[in-house]
Amino acid sequence: MQNTIVIFSHNRPTYLELLLENLNDIFKNENYSKFFSSIDIFYSNHLSLPHKKKKKISYLEVNYIISPNTSSSQKINQSFMKYYNDKKVEDCFLLYLDDDCILNKKRFIEFFRDFKDLSRNNTIYSIYNSFSHKIFKFNKRNFLYEKKTAGMLGILVPKKIVIDYINLTNISKVNPNKCADSIFLEFYVKHYGNLILTNPISIIQHIGFIGENNNLSKKDIEFSSSFINEFIANENYIELLINLFTKRNNKINLNLFAKMISSLKYKFIKQRVFGRDFNIFK
């Protein structure tokens, strides 16, 4: 199975270099089960890349795909079309990362080493437990949270779901420059009737404070409250306490007009992607 790590790089070569070093540290472990075979980096221009382009990370081939003048959403759609048209990898998983994240080596290795026992058909997983996305319930069988929403960071997607998304919607024609992750995941939840299974202790931490989806001045920062670097006994109990005591800034956001416009844009784009004939999505 040719599983691929997909990285979106947005003019942050220092972050990308740190992430690639992080991945090299993970995959140089000779005892690690070879779940992934390659890394695809979608980049806007040469400013997005480190000075030296690595052709390999341990045993993984590294491919660089130019994606000029594109938003995050457009990179997502470009990647979908690439894997949709790549007939060599019909049965595989795609792990989505951004350049401004770090991974917990121990937990990453453990998760993918045991993934065969965890894997279910037509299911999206997330190794990033973002506090921005509400927990719907706790899956006692798999010891995973279930969520209705998530961003692209850290999601593990079966390629079959991407194929169905392109075949059953107008996404290949619309190619929106916003909301691509939300629209894709809404399609997944409503079409398959499944939720996003999320690791309670986040394997990823988001370290970028400036970008399309982060606004430092408005204290709108995306991160995980359950990322633990060091080994601590009874971490699961500690993580639950962190989630209980860590809350978002509850101050009133006076920019309600901007929120209304954003919501209307999302509904408009979603209608274009899903089309009028898809009654399930109304």
Side-chain angles (χ1 to χ4, degrees):
M1 190 182 290
Q2 297 182 359
N3 301 318
T4 301
I5 295 174
V6 184
I7 301 174
F8 296 140
S9 184
H10 310 283
N11 298 340
R12 296 175 290 202
T14 305
Y15 281 147
L16 179 58
E17 193 164 14
L18 285 171
L19 175 59
L20 293 178
E21 287 176 8
N22 195 183
L23 289 169
N24 185 64
D25 188 41
I26 290 171
F27 289 105
K28 72 181 181 183
N29 187 329
E30 294 180 1
N31 296 320
Y32 174 63
S33 175
K34 295 185 178 181
F35 186 85
F36 294 101
S37 61
S38 62
I39 298 173
D40 287 347
I41 300 174
F42 289 78
Y43 67 100
S44 300
N45 53 57
H46 70 280
L47 297 175
S48 304
L49 302 176
H51 180 62
K52 291 185 178 180
K53 288 168 60 175
K54 294 185 178 180
K55 295 182 179 179
K56 272 198 167 187
I57 298 291
S58 185
Y59 60 86
L60 281 77
E61 297 285 343
V62 181
N63 306 302
Y64 296 88
I65 299 121
I66 185 69
S67 185
N69 303 316
T70 52
S71 65
S72 296
S73 285
Q74 288 168 328
K75 284 185 176 68
I76 291 168
N77 294 327
Q78 182 185 355
S79 75
F80 286 168
M81 294 309 301
K82 169 182 164 46
Y83 301 119
Y84 176 80
N85 292 319
D86 189 351
K87 304 303 180 185
K88 294 183 292 184
V89 284
E90 287 291 345
D91 181 26
C92 73
F93 283 91
L94 306 167
L95 174 65
Y96 280 85
L97 301 177
D98 278 339
D99 54 8
D100 59 344
C101 71
I102 55 173
L103 305 165
N104 182 305
K105 175 181 177 180
K106 173 178 171 287
R107 290 189 176 280
F108 186 96
I109 291 173
E110 287 175 351
F111 181 86
F112 288 105
R113 181 179 287 153
D114 301 332
F115 185 72
K116 285 183 180 179
D117 299 329
L118 183 71
S119 180
R120 285 163 43 181
N121 289 334
N122 299 326
T123 302
I124 290 178
Y125 297 82
S126 177
I127 61 171
Y128 177 50
N129 182 17
S130 165
F131 84 125
S132 298
H133 302 110
K134 184 179 177 182
I135 299 164
F136 184 65
K137 65 180 179 178
F138 182 68
N139 187 309
K140 294 180 180 178
R141 188 179 73 175
N142 295 317
F143 295 98
L144 297 171
Y145 288 151
E146 295 188 3
K147 296 187 177 187
K148 291 183 177 179
T149 61
M152 289 300 288
L153 176 59
I155 67 167
L156 184 69
V157 184
K159 186 185 171 186
K160 180 186 180 301
I161 293 177
V162 173
I163 292 172
D164 287 347
Y165 180 53
I166 293 171
N167 285 336
L168 296 174
T169 69
N170 300 320
I171 189 62
S172 61
K173 299 175 184 176
V174 177
N175 190 26
N177 61 4
K178 291 182 179 179
C179 307
D181 51 352
S182 300
I183 293 170
F184 169 65
L185 291 172
E186 185 172 344
F187 164 83
Y188 158 72
V189 170
K190 290 183 175 178
H191 180 65
Y192 294 100
N194 293 333
L195 298 182
I196 303 154
L197 296 183
T198 305
N199 215 52
I201 305 290
S202 189
I203 298 171
I204 293 177
Q205 182 60 288
H206 181 245
I207 60 173
F209 287 164
I210 299 174
E212 277 186 44
N213 302 312
N214 290 282
N215 191 321
L216 197 58
S217 64
K218 293 182 181 178
K219 299 182 181 179
D220 186 12
I221 304 299
E222 169 68 32
F223 69 96
S224 170
S225 60
S226 67
F227 181 85
I228 300 174
N229 273 305
E230 67 279 8
F231 175 80
I232 302 174
N234 298 322
E235 282 177 297
N236 289 319
Y237 296 103
I238 293 169
E239 187 273 337
L240 290 172
L241 287 173
I242 290 171
N243 274 319
L244 283 171
F245 289 107
T246 304
K247 296 182 179 179
R248 298 195 69 171
N249 189 323
N250 290 320
K251 292 182 180 179
I252 296 173
N253 186 344
L254 298 177
N255 196 6
L256 295 177
F257 182 72
K259 282 194 168 186
M260 289 172 62
I261 294 296
S262 180
S263 177
L264 288 171
K265 282 182 179 177
Y266 175 77
K267 288 179 180 178
F268 175 70
I269 295 169
K270 184 176 72 170
Q271 187 179 52
R272 290 179 64 206
V273 171
F274 292 158
R276 296 180 181 273
D277 297 331
F278 293 95
N279 295 322
I280 189 174
F281 303 124
K282 292 181 180 177

